[in-house]
Amino acid sequence: MIGETEAKVLAEEFGSSMVRQWGEWRCELRTWTPPNLSGCFAFSWRPTVLDSLGRPMRVGGNMPILVDENSGECRFVRGMKEYRELSGK
């Protein structure tokens, strides 16, 4: 089993390997604690991009990253249906 700190490192590595602009967008992971999640750690992530005037702007709407607490395997939440199920909505 892995702990939350290791899971966050794995999620960061996964995100940077899956999102080409991860570093450029200065993506930031945050712990996500949906009520209907078990066996995984979950992290939301938000990139910061520059607007047309060069000012930093947060961009949302990204699917959280799930990290299996036993294997360390990472994946994105699979669409709005799974997101709603995990969120209890």
Side-chain angles (χ1 to χ4, degrees):
M1 284 187 80
I2 63 171
E4 185 173 358
T5 302
E6 185 178 356
K8 189 171 185 176
V9 170
L10 292 170
E12 179 84 28
E13 291 171 355
F14 174 78
S16 67
S17 73
M18 299 298 289
V19 179
R20 187 172 4 122
Q21 299 89 346
W22 187 271
E24 176 187 340
W25 288 348
R26 298 175 303 215
C27 294
E28 179 183 332
L29 288 177
R30 295 183 185 261
T31 301
W32 182 51
T33 53
N36 296 326
L37 181 69
S38 62
C40 293
F41 293 99
F43 301 94
S44 60
W45 58 283
R46 295 187 309 174
T48 301
V49 299
L50 300 179
D51 68 10
S52 61
L53 298 176
R55 297 174 297 200
M57 177 178 71
R58 290 279 188 190
V59 179
N62 304 300
M63 288 298 168
I65 297 171
L66 302 180
V67 182
D68 185 281
E69 66 183 23
N70 291 312
S71 69
E73 182 179 344
C74 300
R75 68 175 178 86
F76 290 112
V77 169
R78 294 183 184 113
M80 287 306 295
K81 181 179 179 188
E82 182 179 28
Y83 180 84
R84 286 185 189 115
E85 288 170 356
L86 291 173
S87 298
K89 297 179 181 177

